[in-house]
C-alpha cells in the first residue's frame, strides 16, 4: 500500500472518469449519548400524552411539541461539537482528521428525502499519492441509487428506503443532480417522480433529458390509498432545469407487477416486468413529451439484466421458468428488436 485515506460515512457508489474518481458517501450526525438520552426522554413523554390511540389532530400536536422541545436540545449539542465530528471528514495516514466540506457548502431542497447527508467527494488519482482535492459537495438527502454520465451524476433516494414508521408514505423518489467537473463538482438540481427505482439502469441521461423508470405499488400493505397509480412508469425530466420538471410520462404498465430490468438506448427503452411470466416492453422515447409503449413479448421466466448488442438485439440474463411462474434455473436470452413494435 503506497497511499491510504479514510472517508467518514457509508460508501454508496463511485465512478471513475479518466483520473477523476467521484465517490458518494452517506453520513448521519452522531450526537453525544447524553443528548440522545435527553431526546428519548422527551419522546417518551410526548408519545404517552398524544400518540397511543390518539386522533390525527393529536398526532399533529405531538409533532409540533416534539419539534419545539427537541430542536433546542439538538442545537446545544451541535454548537458544542467539533467541526470534524459534525461534518464528513477524511483521515490521513498520520491520523490527522480533516473536514472535507464547510457548513455553508451543504445544500438542502424544499423536500427532505432522508434525515441524512450525502456527499460527493472528488479524488485525484493522477498524483503519486491519493489526494482528496477541493471542497466536497453535500446535500441533506439520502442516497441509495447512483447513475452517472460523463458529465453529471444523479443520486436517488426512494421513500421506501428511509420510512421512519410514523410519517405518511408518498411512494416517491427524489433525484439530485451533481455536475461532474473535477475539483469543482457541484450540486445543481433536484427533481421527484412517483414510485421507486430498481437499480442504476433505471436512469439514463440523453440530450439534456433524464429518463427514469419506476415501479409504483404499496410496498407496505395499507400505507397508501393511491392504488390507481399502480404499475410501472417511464418519466422524462428536463435535467438542465433547477427543479428538473417532468415533461413526459408513460404510466400504468403491467399493474401488479414490478420492474426486474430496464435498459435505455438512445431514444429507445426496454423494460422487463414480472409476476408469473416476463413481459418485455419496448418503449419509444423519440418524442420526449409523449413516451409510447410500442411492443410487448411474454415469455416464461424473467430477465434481470439487459444489454444492447448493436442496434437490433438485446441480451437478457435472468431466470427460466414455466407459464405458472415456477423458476427452474438461469436463462440467457437474445431478443431480435429490429421490428420495434
Amino acid at each position: 500500500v503506497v497511499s491510504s485515506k479514510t472517508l467518514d460515512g457509508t460508501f454508496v457508489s463511485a465512478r471513475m472518469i479518466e483520473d477523476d474518481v467521484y465517490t458518494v458517501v452517506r453520513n448521519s450526525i452522531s450526537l453525544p449519548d447524553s443528548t440522545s438520552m435527553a431526546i428519548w426522554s422527551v419522546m417518551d413523554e410526548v408519545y404517552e400524552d398524544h400518540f397511543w390511540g390518539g386522533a390525527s389532530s393529536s398526532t399533529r400536536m405531538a409533532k409540533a411539541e416534539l419539534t419545539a422541545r427537541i430542536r433546542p436540545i439538538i442545537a446545544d449539542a451541535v454548537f458544542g461539537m467539533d467541526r470534524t465530528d459534525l461534518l464528513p471528514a477524511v483521515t490521513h495516514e498520520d491520523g490527522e482528521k480533516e473536514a472535507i466540506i464547510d457548513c455553508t457548502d451543504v445544500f438542502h431542497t424544499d423536500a427532505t428525502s432522508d434525515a441524512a447527508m450525502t456527499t460527493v467527494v472528488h479524488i485525484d488519482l493522477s498524483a503519486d499519492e491519493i489526494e482528496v482535492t477541493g471542497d466536497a459537495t453535500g446535500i441533506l438527502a439520502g442516497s441509495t441509487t447512483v447513475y452517472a454520465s460523463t458529465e453529471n451524476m444523479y443520486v436517488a433516494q426512494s421513500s421506501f428506503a428511509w420510512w421512519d414508521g410514523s410519517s405518511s408514505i408518498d411512494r416517491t423518489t427524489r433525484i439530485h443532480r451533481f455536475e461532474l467537473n473535477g475539483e469543482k463538482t457541484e450540486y445543481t438540481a433536484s427533481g421527484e417522480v412517483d414510485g421507486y427505482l430498481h437499480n442504476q439502469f433505471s436512469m439514463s441521461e440523453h440530450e439534456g433529458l433524464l429518463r427514469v423508470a419506476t415501479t409504483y405499488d404499496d410496498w407496505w400493505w395499507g400505507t397508501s390509498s393511491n392504488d390507481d397509480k399502480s404499475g410501472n412508469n417511464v418519466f422524462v425530466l428536463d435535467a438542465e432545469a433547477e427543479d428538473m420538471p417532468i415533461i413526459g410520462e408513460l404510466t400504468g404498465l403491467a399493474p401488479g407487477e414490478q420492474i426486474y430490468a430496464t435498459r435505455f438506448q438512445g431514444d429507445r427503452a426496454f423494460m422487463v416486468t414480472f409476476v408469473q411470466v416476463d413481459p418485455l416492453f419496448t418503449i419509444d422515447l423519440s418524442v420526449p413529451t409523449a413516451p409510447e409503449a410500442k411492443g410487448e413479448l411474454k415469455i416464461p421466466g424473467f430477465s434481470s439484466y439487459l444489454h444492447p448488442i448493436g442496434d437490433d438485439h438485446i441480451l437478457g440474463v435472468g431466470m427460466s421458468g414455466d407459464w405458472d411462474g415456477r423458476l427452474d434455473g438461469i436463462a440467457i436470452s437474445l431478443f431480435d428488436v429490429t421490428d420495434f413494435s
Side-chain angles (χ1 to χ4, degrees):
V1 177
V2 296
S3 183
S4 176
K5 307 283 185 184
T6 302
L7 292 172
D8 283 350
T10 301
F11 174 80
V12 179
S13 192
R15 297 292 187 275
M16 183 167 71
I17 302 173
E18 297 180 349
D19 289 326
D20 295 308
V21 173
Y22 303 95
T23 302
V24 180
V25 292
R26 181 184 183 279
N27 293 83
S28 297
I29 297 174
S30 297
L31 297 172
D33 289 343
S34 58
T35 303
S36 299
M37 294 290 290
I39 291 172
W40 279 111
S41 177
V42 171
M43 291 181 68
D44 285 342
E45 293 178 22
V46 174
Y47 266 79
E48 185 174 350
D49 292 341
H50 294 281
F51 270 114
W52 305 126
S56 58
S57 60
S58 182
T59 301
R60 289 193 297 270
M61 292 172 58
K63 289 184 176 181
E65 183 177 342
L66 284 171
T67 299
R69 294 179 59 181
I70 291 178
R71 183 179 293 272
I73 297 174
I74 294 177
D76 287 343
V78 167
F79 282 115
M81 293 171 67
D82 186 84
R83 183 166 170 263
T84 55
D85 294 325
L86 179 65
L87 296 166
V90 58
T91 303
H92 301 286
E93 289 91 340
D94 59 3
E96 180 185 355
K97 195 172 183 180
E98 177 186 1
I100 56 176
I101 195 168
D102 291 322
C103 289
T104 52
D105 291 328
V106 180
F107 297 87
H108 68 86
T109 64
D110 58 353
T112 303
S113 62
D114 191 2
M117 184 187 301
T118 291
T119 311
V120 178
V121 184
H122 173 251
I123 301 172
D124 182 6
L125 286 189
S126 64
D128 294 334
E129 294 186 357
I130 294 174
E131 292 186 8
V132 180
T133 58
D135 289 331
T137 303
I139 184 171
L140 290 175
S143 48
T144 52
T145 307
V146 174
Y147 161 78
S149 66
T150 55
E151 297 178 350
N152 298 292
M153 176 177 282
Y154 298 88
V155 178
Q157 173 77 60
S158 298
S159 57
F160 82 92
W162 74 278
W163 185 48
D164 59 15
S166 61
S167 301
S168 60
I169 298 176
D170 52 10
R171 289 193 280 178
T172 59
T173 294
R174 299 282 295 173
I175 303 171
H176 310 287
R177 176 177 179 257
F178 296 84
E179 184 177 314
L180 301 180
N181 190 19
E183 297 180 21
K184 298 179 181 179
T185 291
E186 60 180 344
Y187 161 72
T188 55
S190 291
E192 182 175 291
V193 293
D194 284 332
Y196 60 87
L197 307 181
H198 179 59
N199 55 23
Q200 77 260 28
F201 295 105
S202 298
M203 292 184 279
S204 169
E205 182 188 80
H206 182 65
E207 297 180 348
L209 303 174
L210 178 67
R211 292 85 59 83
V212 184
T214 70
T215 295
Y216 192 97
D217 68 359
D218 194 353
W219 51 267
W220 188 271
W221 181 81
T223 55
S224 174
S225 59
N226 294 327
D227 294 324
D228 57 320
K229 292 185 178 181
S230 178
N232 302 282
N233 320 297
V234 175
F235 298 99
V236 181
L237 287 71
D238 181 355
E240 297 179 345
E242 187 174 306
D243 58 349
M244 292 204 298
I246 296 172
I247 64 169
E249 60 183 53
L250 171 65
T251 61
L253 287 174
E257 302 184 12
Q258 68 182 69
I259 292 175
Y260 271 61
T262 310
R263 197 66 186 239
F264 293 90
Q265 184 186 37
D267 58 8
R268 305 189 303 177
F270 305 90
M271 177 192 293
V272 171
T273 63
F274 180 75
V275 63
Q276 282 189 314
V277 294
D278 162 10
L280 170 67
F281 292 99
T282 56
I283 300 168
D284 184 358
L285 296 166
S286 58
V287 181
T289 55
E292 182 182 2
K294 300 294 287 188
E296 177 183 348
L297 175 66
K298 286 189 176 183
I299 59 173
F302 63 86
S303 296
S304 55
Y305 175 73
L306 298 174
H307 194 90
I309 306 294
D311 292 331
D312 299 328
H313 295 86
I314 292 290
L315 181 73
V317 181
M319 300 294 291
S320 64
D322 60 26
W323 289 101
D324 294 320
R326 290 185 290 267
L327 304 177
D328 56 20
I330 295 172
I332 300 176
S333 308
L334 188 64
F335 301 97
D336 186 340
V337 293
T338 307
D339 181 354
F340 202 60
S341 298

